[in-house]
Amino acid sequence: MSSIVMERTLVIRGRKVVGGVAEGEALVTRDRISGWGGIDPRTGTVVETRHELRGQSFAGKVLVFPGAKGSSGWSAMFHMTRLMNVAPAAFLFNEMTTKMALGAVVTHSPAMTGFDRDPLDCIETGDWVRVDADRGVVEITKKKTTLGDRP
């Protein structure tokens, strides 16, 4: 018996916020992320009490989410993640705000918004994502799926 492993790649396009190229495993949430009190900047872990990612680290991952919430402390907290080497590899987000823009800039991580397709509908946690913000291209390699056992 054998299994067939399928892999497929999707491409979406968007607008550069911070240039650069990065890739990594996706961490996806439909919840906005609070910087001040919502993350631990020493570990890159979401700590907000009712957040669906509570206890999960975004360090080195492509963080896919609607956008920032909370105070102007957002950029300070994400700046600390860069200093502690636990920042996301890249940011993909839907809503551009000054908090979000500044937070992306201070991490030095490639960041994009303004997509032709909603990344929250295209990307799942565990997908492999390559972000080329300079070209405005996001390549998504879907998690491998196995199609049944074959005789």
Side-chain angles (χ1 to χ4, degrees):
M1 291 197 179
S2 65
S3 299
I4 297 174
V5 176
M6 306 231 4
E7 195 174 271
R8 63 187 176 108
T9 301
L10 302 171
V11 175
I12 62 175
R13 297 185 183 283
R15 183 170 48 88
K16 171 178 77 173
V17 176
V18 175
V21 177
E23 59 185 275
E25 182 182 344
L27 182 62
V28 181
T29 180
R30 289 192 172 275
D31 291 347
R32 294 180 184 287
I33 294 178
S34 177
W36 195 271
I39 66 166
D40 180 342
R42 297 164 299 166
T43 62
T45 302
V46 176
V47 296
E48 185 177 343
T49 304
R50 291 178 196 62
H51 201 283
E52 70 176 326
L53 294 182
R54 183 173 181 177
Q56 295 186 53
S57 174
F58 51 70
K61 296 183 179 175
V62 176
L63 187 57
V64 184
F65 63 118
K69 71 177 179 181
S71 71
S72 58
W74 209 90
S75 58
M77 292 297 104
F78 275 87
H79 176 69
M80 286 297 297
T81 67
R82 180 179 66 81
L83 297 176
M84 302 299 287
N85 294 314
V86 295
F91 290 104
L92 301 178
F93 58 94
N94 290 330
E95 185 184 5
M96 173 60 96
T97 61
T98 53
K99 276 189 288 279
M100 192 58 241
L102 185 55
V105 167
V106 299
T107 63
H108 300 190
S109 299
M112 293 176 59
T113 193
F115 299 98
D116 60 355
R117 293 173 61 192
D118 188 342
L120 295 171
D121 293 337
C122 301
I123 305 171
E124 299 171 273
T125 294
D127 289 346
W128 190 260
V129 179
R130 183 176 189 276
V131 177
D132 185 339
D134 295 326
R135 291 180 38 231
V137 175
V138 178
E139 297 171 356
I140 305 141
T141 303
K142 300 301 289 176
K143 290 184 284 192
K144 293 182 179 180
T145 56
T146 304
L147 296 180
D149 289 330
R150 301 279 182 194

